[in-house]
Amino acid sequence: MQTDLDQATSQLVSDFVSWGVKLTAFDGLEIPYRENLVLHHLGVEKFISGLHGTPNQAISELADQLQKLGASNQRFDTNASWSSAAWRAALLDIITPSPTTLNSNFKRDYKVSAKQATDRFYELSRQIENVKVQAIAHNIAYTVNTNFGDIEITINLSKPEKTTAEIEAAGRAKKIAYPPTVLDQYNEGFYGRLGAAARSTHRFIYEEIGGQTWGWHYSPYAYYSEHAIFVEMERQPMHITKQTFTNLLAWVDRYPHYFIGSNADLPIVGGSILSQEHFQGGRHTFAMMKAPVRQKIDLPQFESVSAGVLHWPMSVIKLSSHYQAELIDAAELVRQTWQGYSDPDLMINAYSNENEQQHTVTPIAWQEGGKYQLALVLRDNGRSTDFPDGIFHPHQAVQHIKQENIGLIEVMGLAILPGRLKNELADVADVLLGRRELRQIATKHQPWVKSLMTVGGCTPENVENRIQEAIGQVFIQVLSDAGVYKNTDQGREGFDRFIAQLH
């Protein structure tokens, strides 16, 4: 006997499956097949066939309703966030294009334009929750005007926090070496488990770059528009070479509306994953990319290349040319010269006491004004007794705000700050407004807050802006700490000595 509940559930399933047709994952011939997959996933046996599904309601809203039904049927552990996330991703996978279909659709769109291809792939990634739109919305993001342009600040609240029970369970769980890495293609379609993210809907666009197979996708927890990750599939460790510059420019040739950059390949100054070659890119213009040239550099051996030092807290040489080959050669000259260069008076040493390489670059490529642009940020991985975390790493005085590595995104002027700051900065506001005493907040913040108190003039209406502006200035100091040559007379003289070596 048909009931209203059966009718509502059947219509919900049909509406959800209709999205697969709209997303070009499959055609109408597959609708009954996909509906049966959803029914099995839900643990539902009663279904009214032949209903007309419409993709009028948002996928996320339909998935929410279906997830409630799955929970009531005990299809996943509602007390374990990983189980809930894995179940939901597998549900969305039913209406997601397969890797083959997706790549075929992308190539068809790319024949029209690179922008059409990325626009449609990005929208798909948002719809199927590969880009966690709802989670990203929890981030606190703003800009602060500084002497170096508009610096971007993000307090990262998007990644779900694990409960104590889940953390303890992960510690007890048997270690499984699959997928081999968190980056490669074996994550496509992976259901997930405790300690390993659900990737049922995860998809790559596959391309050949530099004679190697690469795949790219949009970051789940994006920090800027169309935040993309480009992964080399042979699982080679991160290593900055001349080929790196060649590959970066090949990518911006294919996607001229994107910047593409690489983290440095050393642990203190590099990114969080150095075990597999990968780049990051996207449709965003960072403050560093808009920074003016402070000082021109003469490179007579490269007639088509213009070069200069950027007005930026870190030490950046920007190269520009219409011609890739000469631009790559110029970049390699800078890299090789820097790799072997030392200036002990400024604590700059190419090699450690153990003869380990300490110099590398963070390279970023983009197109502007009809030319290829290649920025090389000089990095030094050295440590000392005074700076055990890294000589050119955020120093102790700013670690109450930012103590993590300064990677590619921060280098360009976007601070990614830890979620702990949300509550900690609320306490700071209370002190500035006289609602609590200085000694009642975290000790690590007290010297900074004491300096803010001397300025005075905080009101409930302006205290948030005051704190945001102060955070922006701290981040400028963070970048300055990570900069090899400081914006001082001594630092500029040291930079000049290095530039002289390029001749």
Side-chain angles (χ1 to χ4, degrees):
M1 180 179 176
Q2 178 179 320
T3 67
D4 291 341
L5 182 61
D6 295 335
Q7 177 80 26
T9 298
S10 300
Q11 190 63 59
L12 178 61
V13 170
S14 295
D15 289 347
F16 180 75
V17 169
S18 73
W19 266 102
V21 177
K22 185 172 181 178
L23 296 174
T24 64
F26 47 83
D27 60 25
L29 187 65
E30 290 194 18
I31 286 176
Y33 165 70
R34 302 285 172 168
E35 288 173 340
N36 282 327
L37 293 179
V38 174
L39 294 175
H40 173 74
H41 201 59
L42 293 171
V44 170
E45 295 181 351
K46 294 182 179 180
F47 182 69
I48 301 170
S49 62
L51 296 177
H52 177 67
T54 56
N56 293 334
Q57 194 172 2
I59 293 176
S60 60
E61 294 174 1
L62 294 169
D64 287 344
Q65 297 172 60
L66 292 171
Q67 192 160 11
K68 289 179 181 178
L69 185 56
S72 67
N73 290 338
Q74 299 180 326
R75 303 299 286 181
F76 55 88
D77 183 356
T78 56
N79 295 317
S81 59
W82 76 266
S83 179
S84 176
W87 187 93
R88 185 181 180 100
L91 172 70
L92 291 165
D93 188 40
I94 296 172
I95 61 168
T96 299
S98 70
T100 299
T101 300
L102 173 63
N103 277 267
S104 177
N105 291 345
F106 187 88
K107 289 176 182 176
R108 181 194 63 219
D109 290 332
Y110 190 90
K111 288 179 180 178
V112 178
S113 73
K115 184 177 177 299
Q116 175 170 305
T118 57
D119 282 353
R120 291 190 175 178
F121 182 35
Y122 185 61
E123 181 57 25
L124 170 70
S125 299
R126 287 166 53 89
Q127 292 282 5
I128 61 175
E129 300 179 3
N130 274 348
V131 175
K132 311 293 185 184
V133 177
Q134 293 180 352
I136 294 167
H138 290 105
N139 289 344
I140 298 171
Y142 55 90
T143 61
V144 177
N145 184 258
T146 73
N147 292 333
F148 297 94
D150 289 335
I151 298 297
E152 299 170 90
I153 308 293
T154 294
I155 296 178
N156 182 15
L157 302 172
S158 59
K159 291 187 178 180
E161 293 185 14
K162 296 181 176 66
T163 65
T164 300
E166 286 179 308
I167 293 171
E168 291 174 346
R172 294 190 301 267
K174 181 180 178 181
K175 304 303 179 185
I176 303 173
Y178 185 86
T181 77
V182 297
L183 292 174
D184 67 24
Q185 69 267 40
Y186 293 99
N187 290 277
E188 277 191 310
F190 178 65
Y191 185 83
R193 61 173 180 270
L194 181 63
R199 298 291 185 89
S200 290
T201 59
H202 189 59
R203 299 290 187 269
F204 286 101
I205 300 299
Y206 290 98
E207 307 198 42
E208 292 296 317
I209 293 288
Q212 296 175 311
T213 299
W214 290 67
W216 69 274
H217 62 89
Y218 291 108
S219 174
Y221 299 101
Y223 296 118
Y224 51 84
S225 179
E226 298 180 40
H227 182 173
I229 300 174
F230 303 78
V231 183
E232 187 272 308
M233 292 301 177
E234 291 186 12
R235 297 202 291 272
Q236 298 297 317
M238 293 281 289
H239 194 42
I240 305 297
T241 67
K242 183 178 181 179
Q243 186 62 46
T244 305
F245 308 139
T246 300
N247 290 345
L248 289 173
L249 292 173
W251 279 114
V252 297
D253 242 356
R254 295 196 182 193
Y255 303 102
H257 54 305
Y258 279 5
F259 84 90
I260 314 285
S262 173
N263 271 307
D265 53 351
L266 297 176
I268 297 174
V269 296
S272 58
I273 301 174
L274 301 181
S275 59
Q276 187 168 1
E277 185 81 20
H278 67 285
F279 301 152
Q280 295 185 70
R283 198 171 178 177
H284 192 71
T285 303
F286 293 87
M288 190 212 74
M289 296 165 66
K290 295 183 281 189
V293 171
R294 184 189 79 204
Q295 172 188 351
K296 291 186 178 181
I297 299 174
D298 184 25
L299 296 177
Q301 63 271 57
F302 304 108
E303 294 182 357
S304 76
V305 178
S306 58
V309 176
L310 293 185
H311 174 64
W312 193 245
M314 298 188 72
S315 306
V316 187
I317 293 177
K318 180 181 177 183
L319 307 171
S320 178
S321 179
H322 289 289
Y323 304 103
Q324 283 195 24
E326 200 158 77
L327 186 62
I328 291 166
D329 287 341
E332 180 63 2
L333 170 66
V334 173
R335 187 194 69 81
Q336 285 194 6
T337 304
W338 175 243
Q339 183 170 311
Y341 181 78
S342 295
D343 191 338
D345 289 345
L346 297 179
M347 295 188 290
I348 294 170
N349 294 289
Y351 297 93
S352 69
N353 293 334
E354 292 75 32
N355 204 36
E356 294 178 335
Q357 177 188 330
Q358 295 191 151
H359 284 179
T360 186
V361 297
T362 298
I364 304 105
W366 71 98
Q367 292 195 48
E368 181 184 314
K371 290 185 177 182
Y372 298 105
Q373 314 293 327
L374 192 53
L376 304 177
V377 188
L378 306 184
R379 310 304 301 273
D380 183 311
N381 209 52
R383 301 173 188 257
S384 70
T385 302
D386 291 336
F387 301 107
D389 296 326
I391 300 170
F392 303 101
H393 177 84
H395 292 170
Q396 193 67 40
V398 296
Q399 288 188 11
H400 65 106
I401 298 297
K402 176 72 173 177
Q403 63 183 9
E404 298 80 10
N405 293 20
I406 302 305
L408 171 68
I409 297 171
E410 287 97 351
V411 160
M412 293 187 289
L414 195 165
I416 303 169
L417 303 180
R420 62 176 171 81
L421 287 175
K422 179 182 178 181
N423 293 332
E424 292 175 7
L425 294 179
D427 293 341
V428 169
D430 283 345
V431 173
L432 295 178
L433 293 172
R435 294 171 179 168
R436 66 170 64 191
E437 295 182 17
L438 182 63
R439 61 182 175 81
Q440 292 178 300
I441 68 171
T443 303
K444 61 187 175 184
H445 288 307
Q446 289 180 13
W448 175 61
V449 176
K450 189 174 182 179
S451 69
L452 297 181
M453 292 171 68
T454 62
V455 178
C458 283
T459 67
E461 291 73 30
N462 71 14
V463 68
E464 183 177 4
N465 285 338
R466 287 283 188 89
I467 292 174
Q468 289 181 352
E469 289 171 4
I471 291 286
Q473 295 306 319
V474 170
F475 184 60
I476 291 296
Q477 186 59 51
V478 165
L479 294 182
S480 180
D481 287 350
V484 177
Y485 295 108
K486 310 307 180 187
N487 282 301
T488 62
D489 290 342
Q490 185 184 31
R492 291 178 182 182
E493 289 169 3
F495 212 154
D496 287 342
R497 290 194 293 274
F498 171 67
I499 291 169
Q501 300 298 309
L502 300 177
H503 300 158

XYZ file of all heavy atoms in Angstrom, residues 1-11 48:
92
model
N 0.842 -1.198 0.000
C 0.000 0.000 0.000
C 0.881 1.253 0.000
O 1.801 1.393 0.798
C -0.900 0.006 1.258
C -1.807 1.224 1.348
S -2.844 1.133 2.820
C -3.661 2.707 2.695
N 0.601 2.154 -0.906
C 1.380 3.385 -1.019
C 1.058 4.323 0.132
O -0.086 4.485 0.527
C 1.055 4.060 -2.348
C 1.792 5.391 -2.547
C 1.459 5.998 -3.890
O 1.364 5.301 -4.884
N 1.285 7.308 -3.906
N 2.095 4.929 0.718
C 1.911 5.913 1.780
C 2.542 7.227 1.365
O 3.353 7.290 0.445
C 2.554 5.447 3.099
O 3.983 5.421 2.926
C 2.065 4.060 3.502
N 2.172 8.288 2.097
C 2.763 9.595 1.823
C 4.267 9.561 2.049
O 5.029 10.224 1.349
C 2.119 10.656 2.717
C 0.660 10.936 2.336
O 0.291 10.596 1.196
O -0.071 11.489 3.175
N 4.704 8.756 3.047
C 6.130 8.652 3.333
C 6.871 8.011 2.165
O 7.939 8.469 1.759
C 6.353 7.840 4.616
C 7.815 7.695 5.069
C 8.428 9.059 5.358
C 7.888 6.815 6.325
N 6.297 6.944 1.602
C 6.900 6.298 0.433
C 6.975 7.269 -0.736
O 7.979 7.320 -1.452
C 6.079 5.071 0.014
C 6.080 3.975 1.064
O 7.037 3.939 1.863
O 5.130 3.180 1.074
N 5.934 8.042 -0.921
C 5.885 9.017 -2.013
C 6.973 10.066 -1.830
O 7.694 10.399 -2.763
C 4.508 9.690 -2.033
C 4.357 10.787 -3.078
C 4.075 10.256 -4.469
O 3.532 9.160 -4.620
N 4.446 11.009 -5.495
N 7.083 10.594 -0.621
C 8.068 11.644 -0.359
C 9.491 11.116 -0.531
O 10.347 11.781 -1.127
C 7.874 12.190 1.053
N 9.748 9.908 -0.024
C 11.091 9.318 -0.152
C 11.422 9.052 -1.615
O 12.535 9.336 -2.078
C 11.181 8.007 0.651
O 10.961 8.287 2.034
C 12.545 7.356 0.487
N 10.476 8.512 -2.351
C 10.702 8.203 -3.766
C 10.985 9.465 -4.564
O 11.881 9.495 -5.416
C 9.484 7.467 -4.346
O 9.253 6.251 -3.667
N 10.228 10.530 -4.276
C 10.452 11.788 -4.981
C 11.819 12.375 -4.623
O 12.523 12.917 -5.480
C 9.358 12.799 -4.624
C 9.383 14.061 -5.491
C 9.113 13.758 -6.952
O 8.064 13.218 -7.302
N 10.067 14.097 -7.822
N 8.559 4.040 -5.224
C 7.565 4.240 -6.286
C 8.331 4.624 -7.548
O 8.933 5.690 -7.632
C 6.572 5.349 -5.908
C 5.851 4.976 -4.605
C 5.575 5.602 -7.036
C 5.033 6.105 -4.023
